[in-house]
Amino acid sequence: MKSKRGRTAIGFPGEIGMLYFAVAAAAAFNLICTGTTEKTDYNGSKSESYTVTYRVDTAARLWCKNDPEACKTPQKMVDINAVTIKFIDTTKDTPDQFFRYVEQVNRESGLHQTLTVGGRGALMRITKQEGHCEPAPFSGFSKTNPKF
């Protein structure tokens, strides 16, 4: 559609729909993250490589990872902003045990980090993952067949 000045004007529902779907597609993607897991406890530490695939929908603030069963019920993101997607951030502190788990991705650098700390004193265990994520086409969330 041309405006009075001869410029193309966005005004057709089809053009608006195409714009909406382009934005929605950019908001839904997979992240394939690879890096190193380091586990430390009273016996010392060991490292191994890891790969994890997240399915992410930033518009709906939903995510899941790896397992198609887990992707039948995607989880809500804890936080999302221009720099960070924080999937999980939980702390439990009781007299017998301390537990902290954080899982996040830096949207600018692709840095993937998880931290699990659990135990008390000499029995403290720490697991850290650090790696890099690359975007991939969104594979969607798994379909469910509810009975009611």
Side-chain angles (χ1 to χ4, degrees):
M1 174 175 163
K2 297 279 184 182
S3 69
K4 291 180 183 180
R5 294 187 177 156
R7 297 185 186 132
T8 301
I10 297 177
F12 289 116
E15 292 174 346
I16 293 171
M18 288 174 57
L19 178 62
Y20 170 79
F21 286 116
V23 170
F29 49 87
N30 283 9
L31 286 175
I32 301 171
C33 307
T34 57
T36 303
T37 301
E38 183 179 349
K39 297 179 181 181
T40 305
D41 62 17
Y42 54 90
N43 289 322
S45 67
K46 63 181 177 179
S47 295
E48 59 190 31
S49 61
Y50 75 88
T51 299
V52 63
T53 300
Y54 293 93
R55 299 177 192 187
V56 179
D57 183 337
T58 58
R61 299 178 62 98
L62 295 173
W63 70 280
C64 66
K65 67 179 178 181
N66 287 344
D67 181 10
E69 276 302 307
C71 288
K72 285 184 177 179
T73 53
Q75 299 179 50
K76 282 280 190 190
M77 294 174 192
V78 172
D79 187 33
I80 182 168
N81 57 52
V83 179
T84 305
I85 298 173
K86 191 173 282 190
F87 299 113
I88 298 174
D89 188 349
T90 186
T91 302
K92 180 181 178 183
D93 192 6
T94 68
D96 297 327
Q97 178 140 1
F98 174 79
F99 177 80
R100 174 83 196 263
Y101 184 68
V102 179
E103 189 168 351
Q104 64 186 20
V105 174
N106 183 299
R107 298 177 79 182
E108 293 176 336
S109 67
L111 178 65
H112 174 250
Q113 297 175 304
T114 70
L115 174 66
T116 307
V117 179
R120 278 276 181 234
L123 299 178
M124 187 71 69
R125 293 185 176 150
I126 301 170
T127 302
K128 294 189 293 185
Q129 287 185 320
E130 190 164 297
H132 184 77
C133 298
E134 289 294 330
F138 186 55
S139 58
F141 297 120
S142 301
K143 302 284 186 220
T144 60
N145 296 315
K147 293 182 181 182
F148 50 89

